[in-house]
Amino acid sequence: MANTLELGMLYALLALGVFLTYRILNFADLTVDGSFTTGAGTAALLITNGMHPLIGTAAGFVAGSLGGLATGLLHTKLHIDPLLASILTMIALWSVNLRIMGKANLSLLNQPTVFTPLAERGLVSTWWSVGILAALAIAAKLVIDAFLATNFGLAVQSTGDNPAMASSLGISTDTTKIVTLMLANGLVGLSGALIAQLQGFADIQMGVGLILVGLASVIVGNAILGTRFMFLASLGVIVGSATYRLVIFFALRWDVLSPQDMKLISATLVVIALVISQSKGIRAFFARISPWRRSDTVPEPLLAVPSTGEEEA
Amino acid sequence: MLRLADVSKTFFAGTPNERRALRHVDLRLAKGDFVTVIGSNGAGKSTLLNVIAGSLPVDCGTVQIAGRNVVKVPDYKRASMIGRVFQDPAAGTAPHLTIEQNLAVAESRGKRRGLGKGVTRARRHRYEHDLQTLELGLESRMRHRVGLLSGGQRQALSLLMASFTGPDLLLLDEHTAALDPQRAELVLGITERVVRDSGLTALMVTHNMDQALRMGNRLLMMHEGEIVFQLDEAAKKDATVTDLLAMFGQVKGQLTDRTLLG
């Protein structure tokens, strides 16, 4: 269980990256599947070559963000559709990742990692390490919250919310998109670097299908905590990541399912979460049981004239 | 303040659907001019605004704002000089951001957007004051999302966002067309006050001839991509809707003749 939540907190970094692109920027970014392995491979390569694990981890962030940069440039400068641009990067990164790692699997056995200090004290896979990693995820979430509240962050939010309005107010939407994609894929790369160190290896396959994990976390988390306040929306992503891991954990205890059904479970979970977040009845149910979401359903005072434009999603 | 010289714009050039939206348009606005633009559908009114704002590139001709040729300047850079309000109330605001966040985004127009806090206490205080001038009670709902506002409230907010930084030019593209008559009046009243109080130079497109005569100090009528006639301040004062219709009929007749003869 502790091990499951440990993974949940590390994948929460990836989910926060997906939150930035999918929710804030309104950009379907599939780069994730590639940039996760890029982060993991870069960290593993540097650590096996004797670099300090912290430097390897930071390099994982940088390497991931370069994947985001590639997608951003393909989309903004060459005007390729977001989905296609990110698929192109994802596929190209497969070769790049093999070049970085030199082979399909890079072991970190007997290498120092960022988890070595924890392992020496026997804290890995205990509630202690869950707490430490949760603190890391929450720190990342708070940084994102603060970033989105800056002048530049508000420009990023406007870009996702109403691009025409953003450029009419002097925002270079190319810049906001590229920076956000870099930040998001940096987080994904960081997540990959840490998970490689926790598992003790980087593998060319490890990123496959992770966009679904990220989406599941974002959608499940936002269904639970709502999106009314940025603080709760990004917190929900972490909660969603933990929830996702727990669902997988319990699903695999059921004899009928085996680890090869993971992807099917992921996809099913995303479908269920999407249906839940669309269904008015189920949303009302969540609103009743959640103390924070009540504000969502309070009718607006002094609102006699019906809104003509887009309603709250 | 604004100067257009020999501006032309053709859509789908060289195809059977070719449409000449602007034909050799010349236009000059002095500082403080408030010009209303009328004309039938497809006359080129919206294209004119889009060309000035840089949302559409021109085929030929020059656009000067405050003495600077901006033909090669992209729209988001022209935005430091231009405030815009669109016809669709949803177009000018970000629905998932709060009122105060929208205002903060608008205030940073033409400035570097760095990592400073977006909505500071000083800004919030100022916005409260600015919103009071709209007299819609929005100052008490600054942390509400704009998506919750009505169309009229959103247009009033868009107008404030477009104008409160004192741009060189304010472009209004049928900004009351999607509102009910009562709300339209309200937004028009705010428009008049904002333009007058800040001494803005403005270009307002409208379908409503009565509005066009009532607002501003100059009027121009467009037809098939050309400015077919203009009224200056003195002429506009005495003109009536009937006059406008008569003039429009005359111009249309001439054009039809010319097309037939040409």
Side-chain angles (χ1 to χ4, degrees), chain B residues 88-222:
Chain B
D88 178 3
T93 47
H96 289 93
L97 296 188
T98 62
I99 294 180
E100 57 185 22
Q101 286 176 327
N102 269 281
L103 285 164
V105 171
E107 189 178 343
S108 298
R109 160 214 303 278
K111 293 184 201 150
R112 220 181 74 84
R113 292 170 201 269
L115 294 179
K117 204 170 172 215
V119 182
T120 58
R121 189 174 294 180
R123 276 182 166 186
R124 189 174 286 138
H125 194 71
R126 196 146 27 84
Y127 298 158
E128 206 175 327
H129 174 79
D130 290 335
L131 286 167
Q132 272 164 6
T133 63
L134 298 181
E135 295 172 12
L136 291 172
L138 294 181
E139 62 276 8
S140 60
R141 303 172 58 191
M142 293 202 334
R143 290 177 198 225
H144 288 224
R145 289 184 175 184
V146 168
L148 298 168
L149 302 184
S150 72
Q153 288 168 331
R154 276 200 233 186
Q155 277 313 62
L157 181 63
S158 301
L159 193 58
L160 185 64
M161 288 166 59
S163 61
F164 79 144
T165 52
D168 294 316
L169 196 60
L170 180 64
L171 302 178
L172 307 167
D173 191 355
E174 296 184 43
H175 67 307
T176 60
L179 306 178
D180 65 63
Q182 200 188 344
R183 301 279 148 174
E185 271 312 308
L186 184 88
V187 171
L188 278 181
I190 297 170
T191 309
E192 211 154 28
R193 202 166 61 219
V194 165
V195 172
R196 190 184 55 224
D197 292 353
S198 316
L200 298 176
T201 310
L203 204 56
M204 175 174 122
V205 168
T206 174
H207 267 299
N208 185 322
M209 297 205 183
D210 178 54
Q211 258 180 33
L213 285 172
R214 202 150 46 88
M215 309 276 293
N217 66 336
R218 284 171 56 191
L219 179 147
L220 50 94
M221 181 182 279
M222 294 189 69

Side-chain angles (χ1 to χ4, degrees), chain A residues 141-159:
Chain A
K141 163 227 155 26
L142 291 175
V143 169
I144 289 174
D145 288 354
F147 167 72
L148 290 175
T150 63
N151 282 311
F152 188 82
L154 288 177
V156 167
Q157 294 192 59
S158 322
T159 306

Side-chain angles (χ1 to χ4, degrees), chain B residues 32-33 216-219 230-239:
Chain B
D33 267 350
N217 66 336
R218 284 171 56 191
L219 179 147
Q230 304 202 30
L231 295 179
D232 58 15
E233 194 151 10
K236 183 166 174 290
K237 234 175 231 160
D238 305 321

Side-chain angles (χ1 to χ4, degrees), chain A:
Chain A
M1 184 82 128
N3 184 256
T4 303
L5 285 174
E6 246 175 12
L7 279 177
M9 290 304 116
L10 288 180
Y11 278 114
L13 297 173
L14 166 134
L16 284 168
V18 174
F19 172 73
L20 275 177
T21 49
Y22 175 72
R23 271 274 188 261
I24 304 296
L25 202 56
N26 203 7
F27 190 111
D29 178 30
L30 305 192
T31 316
V32 174
D33 280 23
S35 56
F36 183 83
T37 315
T38 310
T42 307
L45 177 76
L46 292 184
I47 291 170
T48 50
N49 278 299
M51 298 285 256
H52 193 281
L54 280 178
I55 295 177
T57 309
F61 180 93
V62 175
S65 71
L66 292 178
L69 174 67
T71 302
L73 291 175
L74 285 176
H75 170 60
T76 59
K77 304 303 173 198
L78 303 180
H79 306 289
I80 298 173
D81 169 80
L83 201 59
L84 186 53
S86 62
I87 290 174
L88 288 168
T89 310
M90 175 185 90
I91 292 184
L93 279 180
W94 184 276
S95 303
V96 174
N97 293 339
L98 277 173
R99 284 278 180 189
I100 291 173
M101 293 162 57
K103 51 188 174 182
N105 190 299
L106 208 53
S107 172
L108 286 169
L109 212 65
N110 301 323
Q111 298 282 351
T113 69
V114 285
F115 297 104
T116 308
L118 287 178
E120 281 168 354
R121 292 173 181 79
L123 296 179
V124 170
S125 295
T126 65
W127 291 101
W128 280 103
S129 73
V130 173
I132 292 169
L133 295 179
L136 175 73
I138 288 172
K141 163 227 155 26
L142 291 175
V143 169
I144 289 174
D145 288 354
F147 167 72
L148 290 175
T150 63
N151 282 311
F152 188 82
L154 288 177
V156 167
Q157 294 192 59
S158 322
T159 306
D161 212 9
N162 187 346
M165 168 263 200
S167 35
S168 87
L169 289 175
I171 293 167
S172 160
T173 51
D174 286 5
T175 309
T176 50
K177 282 177 186 167
I178 291 174
V179 170
T180 311
L181 283 166
M182 288 182 72
L183 182 60
N185 283 288
L187 283 166
V188 173
L190 178 65
S191 173
L194 290 171
I195 283 171
Q197 294 177 65
L198 185 71
Q199 294 180 334
F201 63 88
D203 188 277
I204 189 69
Q205 298 265 9
M206 69 194 293
V208 175
L210 279 189
I211 181 64
L212 262 190
V213 175
L215 283 177
S217 307
V218 171
I219 294 165
V220 170
N222 287 349
I224 297 173
L225 288 183
T227 54
R228 178 77 179 79
F229 300 104
M230 190 56 77
F231 183 85
L232 290 176
S234 55
L235 185 65
V237 174
I238 299 176
V239 173
S241 179
T243 310
Y244 171 83
R245 285 292 142 193
L246 289 175
V247 169
I248 300 281
F249 177 75
F250 286 112
L252 290 183
R253 285 191 156 187
W254 187 26
D255 294 339
V256 182
L257 296 169
S258 74
Q260 67 198 10
D261 298 319
M262 279 269 286
K263 303 264 186 254
L264 182 64
I265 301 170
S266 302
T268 312
L269 188 62
V270 171
V271 172
I272 293 173
L274 278 173
V275 171
I276 287 178
S277 56
Q278 283 165 11
S279 154
K280 281 213 168 98
I282 300 175
R283 267 164 67 194
F285 169 75
F286 271 107
R288 265 205 309 283
I289 60 168
S290 157
W292 300 292
R293 290 214 57 195
R294 253 172 223 158
S295 55
D296 251 3
T297 52
V298 173
E300 284 299 315
L302 307 167
L303 203 76
V305 182
S307 173
T308 52
E310 179 199 345
E311 270 310 326
E312 288 286 292

